Amino acid sequence: MPICVNCRQYLENVATIYSFTDSRIELCPACSNLSDVYIGSRNLSLLSDLVLLKPQVLRHLLYNRRAEPAQSERFRSLNPGYRHNNVNTTTHLVKLGGILVIADAFVSWVHFRADGMSFMKLLIAATLDALSYHIAVIFAVRILTVRSVSNLQISLAIFYSSFAKLFLLLLLIIADPVPQSSSTVSNVPDNFLTGMHLTDDNRKAVWNVYTSLDDDRIDRPWIVNTVVGGMSAGFGLRVLLNTPPITSTIIILSGWIARSVTLELLHMYF
């Protein structure tokens, strides 16, 4: 059922078609604003607002994008049986998920191909990672919430909010295209904290903390994919479910746990 993208009020229709070139967006009776300003917007405008994580565009895509608009009597008489939206939601989900998984695997391959990882292995790992994450999130949503949303809507909310993460990952390729090695070892300099009478193990521990954010040690793709991706997915789920922040956090944490277990299992075989 369509909703107002501003106040979440459920509506019978958000737009009315008068001809193939003329349609009108309805006013929301609750907030007196246009119920959905994204109707008729180009995909580029939707994409830019998705990167900015605007809740209105998420509500439009999750609730109103495939909602059938009302038809005027004249239009209905001239075009009997006409349907404005005939996109299959499952097909759209598979296409969207495939694009994001391939992009995720490509970014990982660009940054870690120095370790000899093939693109196909990274693609399989990204696919299993996404599946485990979505299954865990859907399971947590069913336990912690009572809203009647479909599993497809939950997955779409995660995918749509992932465009912010994808944008940052692509920026990493442009800004730092040199492949990194995960086996980088940083030796402790001979003159590091020599006057503090520390043992070699203590000096090494302090040095590891001191250099933990160095460019050759920090895993930027992991930070963007896990931290930023988790925050954006939590935001998308909160827009869909209208839950308190603590509930969204617990749901995302369950997805992180499933993702971590999956990656540990993959490391045993890859």
Side-chain angles (χ1 to χ4, degrees), residues 226-258:
T226 304
V227 180
V228 179
M231 293 172 61
S232 60
F235 179 80
L237 289 174
R238 191 181 178 200
V239 170
L240 173 66
L241 303 171
N242 197 25
T243 55
I246 184 62
T247 304
S248 301
T249 302
I250 295 174
I251 292 172
I252 295 302
L253 285 177
S254 65
W256 279 355
I257 293 173

Side-chain angles (χ1 to χ4, degrees), residues 104-114 117-120 122 179:
D104 191 9
F106 177 74
V107 171
S108 299
W109 177 77
V110 167
H111 281 275
F112 298 108
R113 65 181 184 272
M117 292 293 291
S118 66
F119 177 76
M120 187 55 63
L122 291 173

Side-chain angles (χ1 to χ4, degrees), residues 194-245:
T194 54
M196 298 189 65
H197 306 290
L198 297 175
T199 63
D200 291 341
D201 291 338
N202 290 336
R203 289 176 61 242
K204 185 176 181 180
V206 175
W207 177 254
N208 288 335
V209 174
Y210 181 73
T211 59
S212 60
L213 295 180
D214 285 358
D215 288 341
D216 58 345
R217 299 190 66 182
I218 190 170
D219 190 350
R220 297 186 192 89
W222 182 88
I223 292 176
V224 173
N225 197 22
T226 304
V227 180
V228 179
M231 293 172 61
S232 60
F235 179 80
L237 289 174
R238 191 181 178 200
V239 170
L240 173 66
L241 303 171
N242 197 25
T243 55

Side-chain angles (χ1 to χ4, degrees), residues 38 42-43 45-67 85 87-101 133-134 150-168 228-240:
Y38 290 100
R42 296 180 180 274
N43 290 334
S45 299
L46 298 176
L47 181 60
S48 62
D49 284 352
L50 276 178
V51 172
L52 297 175
L53 290 177
K54 290 187 176 182
Q56 292 84 359
V57 70
L58 287 171
R59 293 181 187 126
H60 164 76
L61 292 171
L62 293 172
Y63 289 98
N64 301 344
R65 188 68 182 269
R66 287 160 194 84
N85 295 312
V87 179
N88 187 282
T89 305
T90 304
T91 303
H92 178 70
L93 176 66
V94 172
K95 290 181 180 179
L96 185 62
I99 292 172
L100 292 173
V101 167
Y133 185 78
H134 281 248
S150 65
N151 295 340
L152 292 178
Q153 281 183 302
I154 297 173
S155 293
L156 283 175
I158 297 174
F159 282 142
Y160 283 140
S161 57
S162 296
F163 277 96
K165 175 194 75 174
L166 179 62
F167 177 73
L168 293 177
V228 179
M231 293 172 61
S232 60
F235 179 80
L237 289 174
R238 191 181 178 200
V239 170
L240 173 66

